[in-house]
Amino acid sequence: MKRNIVIAVVTAAALVGGGTATALAVAGDDDSASVTRTDDDRDDRGEERSDDRDGDDDGAVRAAAPGDVTAAEAITAALKHTPGTAVSAELDDGSWEVDVLAEGDTWHTVRIAPDSGKVLGAQKDDEDDAAEVRAALKGASVTAEDAAKAAAAAAKGTVVSVDLDDDGGDKGWEAETRASGGDARDWNVDLKTASVTPDRDDD
């Protein structure tokens, strides 16, 4: 009798809910238990979990992969367009911005598309620290492109900026990387050996 009641309730729930239902009934002498789950509810929950998981993955990908063009490739493209010495590269406002010190101590900022590597534009900048930069790079064998590659390999992440630190006695390249989980780290790259060490200020 109790079993018939359970089946009747499940059937009614399926008709009202507009979907199919699966029931499990266990009957004893005095106690009875039933578990009812509609397929529609199960599908909805599955879709919600899938959507949430996909959203999290997409966020991680966006944080880990700013574009198809690496910092080193952006620097190469910028120097092909504007010959000189690349002093910094940064992924900013949807494009790579590469600062180039050209002949005659003139500064140029070259913007590179992060998805294609094409030059989006270039402009001449008014900077007055050309002498300091050239002095810092005197005798250096590691370029900004080399530093970006070395930092990416050491961090096993994506370089989002590389910049020359020409202040004080510890001159060298500074690089920022993003890991697959979105964590940012700062690194120092030696101007002569390309050895990479974590930035002490980042500890």
Side-chain angles (χ1 to χ4, degrees), residues 140-158:
S141 57
V142 178
T143 65
E145 181 181 1
D146 297 332
K149 290 179 179 179
K156 295 181 175 61
T158 301

Side-chain angles (χ1 to χ4, degrees), residues 69-76 89 96 98 144-145 148-149 158-162:
V69 177
T70 65
E73 291 168 343
I75 293 169
T76 299
W96 283 104
V98 183
E145 181 181 1
K149 290 179 179 179
T158 301
V159 174
V160 295
S161 71
V162 59

Side-chain angles (χ1 to χ4, degrees), residues 62 156 176 197:
R62 284 194 296 271
K156 295 181 175 61
E176 180 183 351
T197 56

Side-chain angles (χ1 to χ4, degrees), residues 16-189:
V16 171
T20 60
T22 303
L24 172 64
V26 180
D29 292 338
D30 296 324
D31 300 327
S32 65
S34 65
V35 177
T36 304
R37 181 181 66 202
T38 65
D39 290 342
D40 290 342
D41 291 342
R42 182 185 61 201
D43 292 343
D44 291 342
R45 287 195 301 270
E47 289 176 2
E48 290 173 1
R49 286 194 298 268
S50 177
D51 292 343
D52 292 342
R53 184 173 60 251
D54 291 343
D56 292 341
D57 288 346
D58 289 344
V61 169
R62 284 194 296 271
D68 296 328
V69 177
T70 65
E73 291 168 343
I75 293 169
T76 299
L79 292 178
K80 184 176 181 180
H81 179 272
T82 305
T85 302
V87 178
S88 70
E90 181 179 9
L91 190 62
D92 185 41
D93 293 333
S95 66
W96 283 104
E97 293 188 357
V98 183
D99 290 334
V100 178
L101 177 58
E103 293 183 2
D105 291 344
T106 58
W107 287 95
H108 301 266
T109 297
V110 185
R111 293 190 302 112
I112 305 296
D115 55 347
S116 65
K118 293 182 178 180
V119 176
L120 299 175
Q123 65 181 33
K124 187 176 178 180
D125 293 330
D126 295 326
E127 298 285 349
D128 59 0
D129 58 347
E132 291 84 349
V133 169
R134 293 198 186 281
L137 291 175
K138 185 177 181 180
S141 57
V142 178
T143 65
E145 181 181 1
D146 297 332
K149 290 179 179 179
K156 295 181 175 61
T158 301
V159 174
V160 295
S161 71
V162 59
D163 186 49
L164 176 66
D165 180 10
D166 58 357
D167 294 330
D170 295 331
K171 296 178 175 59
W173 295 106
E174 295 179 341
E176 180 183 351
T177 62
R178 295 289 173 86
S180 57
D183 295 333
R185 293 200 65 182
D186 294 326
W187 306 84
N188 296 319
V189 183

